[in-house]
């Protein structure tokens, strides 16, 4: 068992243990205040039904369900009446509602990922464990009352819950991908400032509103989050369309016969993996991906195609001419200027290049040298050896070694063409 697999099993095991404990306790002791549980359970079901498939940059595919679960975990009163459910019932209701809401998605083959379910159970369980025993014992009211200190306590608890979720997400991604933990955690913490903050704030506000006005507050306070969810979905759709447009433009060199089939896609995929290995996150990874997709676009200006599109084997002046032509084309497409800079500096000595350009150059050379076929580990090892021999002038040693680590984790054979 690899260390990564062990971490995943620990997280999944902890979530499964908490789930079993919550369901067993609820079945044994009965459902406290079933009306409240049914109302919040219905909200979570609606949130699960309205969720969308998680994509790159989408950390929370069910924000309404997550906010409802968090509100139930932080619920101390309803219309002035104290609640009596404990943290184990919170877990049981959240899991049961999430399962009911996921049935339709599972039937369509788009069920929630197990990692996401484990994170939901553990983060909601964390919030409930920190809040419910203190509130039900009366200790929280005796020490903080119902004023600003109580609201401050909820704010601190929300921050700790968000941090718990970010840590779990980074641990699972680290275990799944092998990428460095620090950059993954920074990405998750940055995501909290997006829809994550809206989820936490809505969950807390719903709990406070229900305490004063009752369950009627649930649909009212879900409307802002629903509008936020719709906005994020539209933004994600626009971003996806934008990336598909760039990928289609990048394929022009393949369609015209200037590069091998799948070359741009392979370079982009491998460059992104190397970028994560070197600690790039967020916008830097986006620039790297776009530049990798479009790095050969300058070849369209050539009268005679380069054999197999392998610009790595050309004289340096010719490489620079193609790179500059490519940068000029990229600047006309409307992508960020940083992408054009990466493309047009492909043939510069690596010490004068920005890091994304160093990555694309090394990965492009690797794919050129292996022919993108991946027929044997020897070909891949030979290509890496040639890159290592060029680290004095052409390739940054750290980039080459990061490429080697990425290939070692995924196998030395590159992705198949096409």
């Amino acid at each position: 068992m690899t260390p990564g697999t062990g971490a995943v099993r620990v997280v999944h095991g902890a979530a499964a243990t908490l789930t079993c404990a919550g369901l067993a306790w609820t079945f044994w002791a009965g459902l406290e205040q079933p009306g409240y549980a049914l109302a919040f359970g219905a909200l979570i079901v609606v949130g699960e039904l309205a969720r969308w498939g998680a994509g790159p940059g989408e950390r929370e595919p069910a924000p309404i369900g997550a906010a409802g679960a968090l509100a139930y975990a932080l619920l101390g009163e309803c219309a002035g009446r104290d609640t009596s459910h404990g943290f184990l019932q919170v877990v049981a209701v959240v899991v049961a509602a999430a399962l009911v809401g996921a049935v339709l998605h599972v039937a369509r083959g788009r069920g929630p990922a197990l990692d996401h379910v484990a994170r939901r159970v553990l983060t909601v369980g964390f919030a409930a464990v920190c809040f419910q025993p203190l509130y039900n014992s009366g200790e929280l009211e005796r020490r903080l009352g119902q004023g600003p200190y109580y609201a401050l306590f909820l704010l601190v608890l929300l921050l700790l819950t968000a941090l718990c979720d970010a840590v779990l997400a980074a641990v699972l991604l680290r275990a799944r991908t092998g990428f460095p933990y620090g950059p993954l955690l920074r990405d998750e913490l940055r995501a909290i400032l997006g829809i994550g903050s809206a989820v936490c704030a809505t969950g807390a506000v719903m709990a406070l509103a229900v305490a004063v006005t009752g369950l009627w507050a649930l649909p009212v306070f879900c409307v802002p989050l629903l509008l936020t969810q719709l906005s994020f979905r539209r933004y994600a759709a626009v971003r996806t369309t934008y990336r598909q447009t760039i990928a289609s433009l990048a394929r022009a060199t393949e369609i015209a016969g200037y590069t091998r089939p799948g070359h741009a896609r392979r370079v982009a995929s491998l460059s992104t993996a190397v970028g994560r290995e070197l600690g790039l996150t967020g916008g830097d990874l986006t620039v790297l991906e776009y530049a990798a997709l479009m790095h050969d676009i300058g070849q369209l200006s050539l009268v005679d195609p380069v054999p197999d599109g392998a610009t790595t084997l050309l004289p340096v002046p010719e490489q620079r001419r193609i790179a500059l032509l490519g940068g000029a084309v990229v600047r006309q497409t409307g992508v960020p200027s940083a992408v054009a800079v990466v493309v047009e500096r492909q043939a510069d000595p690596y010490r004068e290049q920005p890091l994304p350009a160093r990555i694309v150059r090394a990965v492009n050379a690797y794919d050129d040298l292996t022919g993108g076929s991946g027929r044997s580990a020897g070909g891949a090892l030979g290509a890496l050896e040639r890159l290592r021999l060029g680290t004095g002038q052409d390739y940054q040693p750290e980039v080459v070694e990061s490429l080697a680590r990425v290939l070692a984790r995924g196998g030395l054979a590159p992705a198949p063409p096409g």
Side-chain angles (χ1 to χ4, degrees):
M1 181 177 67
T2 65
T5 304
V8 172
R9 289 185 177 179
V10 168
V11 173
H12 289 181
T17 300
L18 185 58
T19 297
C20 292
L23 293 173
W25 171 262
T26 303
F27 281 125
W28 176 264
L31 196 63
E32 292 285 341
Q33 297 171 320
Y36 301 163
L38 181 62
F40 280 93
L43 178 63
I44 297 169
V45 170
V46 170
E48 287 295 330
L49 291 174
R51 75 176 177 85
W52 69 90
E58 294 175 3
R59 270 40 178 217
E60 181 50 74
I64 296 177
L70 189 58
Y72 191 50
L74 300 179
L75 185 66
E77 294 182 22
C78 182
R81 296 176 54 190
D82 286 338
T83 60
S84 57
H85 63 273
F87 72 90
L88 288 176
Q89 180 171 309
V90 170
V91 174
V93 169
V94 168
V95 171
L99 290 176
V100 172
V103 169
L104 182 60
H105 295 290
V106 171
R108 295 179 176 179
R110 299 199 304 263
L114 191 57
D115 287 355
H116 170 72
V117 175
R119 282 171 50 197
R120 174 77 66 83
V121 170
L122 291 177
T123 52
V124 171
F126 172 82
V129 166
C130 292
F131 179 82
Q132 291 295 329
L134 285 175
Y135 191 92
N136 293 336
S137 67
E139 190 68 21
L140 193 59
E141 186 173 0
R142 282 195 298 271
R143 291 181 177 273
L144 301 179
Q146 293 292 331
Y149 291 111
Y150 179 75
L152 180 61
F153 170 78
L154 288 184
L155 177 61
V156 172
L157 182 54
L158 286 172
L159 291 175
L160 291 176
T161 302
L163 180 61
C164 173
D165 184 59
V167 169
L168 286 174
V171 166
L172 290 170
L173 283 172
R174 163 67 178 166
R176 298 292 189 189
T177 65
F179 295 136
Y181 179 77
L184 292 175
L185 181 59
R186 286 198 298 271
D187 256 357
E188 295 298 329
L189 292 175
R190 189 180 294 112
I192 294 175
L193 301 177
I195 200 169
S197 61
V199 169
C200 290
T202 303
V205 170
M206 275 197 289
L208 293 172
V210 169
V212 177
T213 63
L215 297 176
W216 290 105
L218 293 181
V220 173
F221 283 91
C222 274
V223 173
L225 190 57
L226 177 61
L227 295 176
T228 302
Q229 176 174 341
L230 292 175
S231 298
F232 266 74
R233 291 186 71 169
R234 290 180 179 177
Y235 171 73
V238 170
R239 185 181 56 197
T240 300
T241 302
Y242 186 59
R243 184 189 179 281
Q244 289 172 346
T245 301
I246 292 176
S248 298
L249 181 61
R251 288 195 62 204
T253 56
E254 301 172 17
I255 296 172
Y258 283 82
T259 58
R260 294 184 180 92
H263 171 73
R265 180 180 57 81
R266 290 192 301 271
V267 172
S269 176
L270 198 48
S271 293
T272 303
V274 174
R276 285 191 177 276
E277 181 76 16
L278 290 170
L280 295 183
T281 59
D284 292 334
L285 276 179
T286 301
V287 168
L288 174 60
E289 181 188 18
Y290 290 172
L293 283 170
M294 305 180 73
H295 73 280
D296 270 332
I297 201 74
Q299 292 199 45
L300 293 176
S301 62
L302 301 178
V303 176
D304 297 318
V306 179
D308 293 325
T311 54
T312 302
L313 307 178
L314 293 176
V316 173
E318 185 64 11
Q319 291 184 37
R320 286 178 177 164
R321 186 177 76 86
I322 295 174
L324 291 173
L325 290 170
V329 173
V330 171
R331 291 182 187 279
Q332 303 302 315
T333 64
V335 300
S337 59
V339 177
V341 171
V342 174
V343 172
E344 63 194 10
R345 298 189 65 181
Q346 286 301 292
D348 294 349
Y350 79 79
R351 293 178 179 84
E352 301 173 11
Q353 293 176 317
L355 180 57
R358 300 176 186 182
I359 294 172
V360 174
R361 181 174 186 176
V363 174
N364 176 57
Y366 171 81
D367 197 74
D368 283 346
L369 292 171
T370 58
S373 62
R375 293 175 182 172
S376 67
L381 290 171
L384 285 173
E385 186 61 28
R386 290 188 62 176
L387 294 183
R388 290 187 174 104
L389 292 175
T391 53
Q393 174 72 16
D394 298 325
Y395 312 111
Q396 184 181 12
E398 292 81 2
V399 171
V400 175
E401 295 310 314
S402 295
L403 172 60
R405 289 194 296 271
V406 169
L407 292 169
R409 283 199 301 269
L412 288 176

